[in-house]
Amino acid sequence: MRNRVVSAFLLLGGLGVVGFSVAQDAPQTKNCEDVFKNIQVFKGVPATDLLPMMEFMSASLGMKCSDCHDTKDYSADTRAKGTARRMVEMQRDINKNFFRNRNQVTCMSCHNGSERPRNIPFPEGISLRHERVTNPPKAADLFAKYGAATGKAPTMLVRKGKLTSPGTDPNKPDVEEVEFDQASDGRFKIVTPSATIVSDGTKVMFNTSTLWGEAKETYTRVGKMWLGDDTFADLKGTGVVGSDEIGGKPVTVVRGVSDDMSTITELSFDNKTGFLRRFVNVRNTPLGGVVKAIDFDDYKRVSGVHVPMKVEITFSPRTKWLMQFKSAKVSDTVDDSVFKTGS
């Protein structure tokens, strides 16, 4: 019987030839190593599965054939192909040892369309990757520009407005009145009809509960985002790491680390105004990094000081607070009773 021949152009991983022809009834009995050259991890796999597997890998990593293959000889070994083979073996081991050989974990499980798997759950629009800057300014100069742009820090700032936060109904966020009081020494108080968060400088209370660990650190960072001279004093090894855009406005990004190297902080400064547009903190844990971010916008001049009237706090990819203030008042004195935390 004369076999009908099907020809294909191997756009995704042809191994040994750029185009190939196989008898339509033959591949059912032939494996990859019988048809293609230099097969290593796909021995015993039907030859008809090779092209679909390459397509799957390409889609899962967002890569082209030429990213892994030598287009002059698709069967030739390359560094990327060596990595891919190790990843295939790792996938098989995971599925064998944890999922009874079910194809539960795949390239897509980790890569999700990117060449490198994301090991940190970054909220949408937030990243530590930025455009490279030629002849970047010094971090200290950007800090000084920020201080000059905002003006001399008052002792206390009181802002009032609306807080939008996730509600029990995912399709209907909660909207409440909010008052946000900040003292330049780091004390703060956030008051809504449903909750009070207050810091006396040593501890942080959420209603009647004392916060500790990551929860305390998070709210302390929110409360200390202030205009004082020591705003960035706890950052070490600061330097410009790139440029980006936030809300269509170009920014320059400064990165620093904590004393114990457990957190990375990035600060994005508006190129034109010098205002701080974004604060990002990544805290390392034994399982991976936890990301918190604060965006600042709508700066208004209040008694000689520029104050952000829109503050968005990202606690996690699914949890955000949006504070939009209608009024702001500054003072050179502090009412200590405001920041009392009780017993």
Side-chain angles (χ1 to χ4, degrees), residues 303-333:
S303 301
V305 181
H306 281 97
V307 175
M309 301 297 283
K310 180 179 179 181
V311 179
E312 185 174 50
I313 306 168
T314 301
F315 294 97
S316 72
R318 293 181 177 86
T319 304
K320 291 186 178 183
W321 279 11
L322 174 60
M323 292 189 284
Q324 294 177 293
F325 300 107
K326 296 179 180 179
S327 67
K329 181 174 66 175
V330 299
S331 173
D332 289 329
T333 60

Side-chain angles (χ1 to χ4, degrees), residues 152-220:
K152 180 175 174 56
T155 305
M156 188 166 174
L157 169 66
V158 177
R159 285 171 290 179
K160 297 180 180 181
K162 297 286 187 181
L163 167 65
T164 303
S165 60
T168 54
D169 182 348
N171 298 315
K172 187 179 180 181
D174 288 339
V175 180
E176 301 177 286
E177 297 289 333
V178 63
E179 179 176 325
F180 189 8
D181 304 337
Q182 289 177 282
S184 58
D185 59 9
R187 291 179 292 172
F188 67 90
K189 188 174 186 178
I190 302 172
V191 182
T192 72
S194 62
T196 296
I197 305 165
V198 60
S199 169
D200 62 4
T202 58
K203 62 182 177 181
V204 180
M205 301 285 292
F206 189 104
N207 291 336
T208 59
S209 300
T210 301
L211 300 181
W212 59 280
E214 175 64 13
K216 178 182 178 181
E217 292 175 15
T218 297
Y219 285 111
T220 299

Side-chain angles (χ1 to χ4, degrees), residues 263-306:
T263 66
I264 297 172
T265 294
E266 286 196 347
L267 305 161
S268 298
F269 294 96
D270 191 295
N271 289 354
K272 182 178 180 180
T273 65
F275 294 148
L276 180 64
R277 290 293 178 188
R278 176 173 289 165
F279 164 92
V280 176
N281 181 271
V282 181
R283 185 180 187 276
N284 293 318
T285 78
L287 289 181
V290 178
V291 182
K292 303 289 188 296
I294 310 174
D295 282 15
F296 304 91
D297 203 353
D298 192 22
Y299 278 80
K300 300 295 184 184
R301 190 174 180 86
V302 181
S303 301
V305 181
H306 281 97

Side-chain angles (χ1 to χ4, degrees), residues 99-126:
F99 297 102
R100 299 181 181 179
N101 283 319
R102 298 196 312 273
N103 205 24
Q104 186 69 35
V105 173
T106 69
C107 308
M108 188 65 180
S109 302
C110 298
H111 287 272
N112 200 24
S114 299
E115 179 181 353
R116 296 182 180 276
R118 290 175 56 182
N119 60 352
I120 297 176
F122 281 102
E124 185 177 356
I126 295 175

Side-chain angles (χ1 to χ4, degrees), residues 6 36 68 75 96 134 165 197 224 233 236 270 282 320 330:
V6 179
F36 305 103
C68 289
S75 67
K96 176 183 177 181
T134 303
S165 60
I197 305 165
K224 290 182 69 174
K236 309 301 179 185
D270 191 295
V282 181
K320 291 186 178 183
V330 299

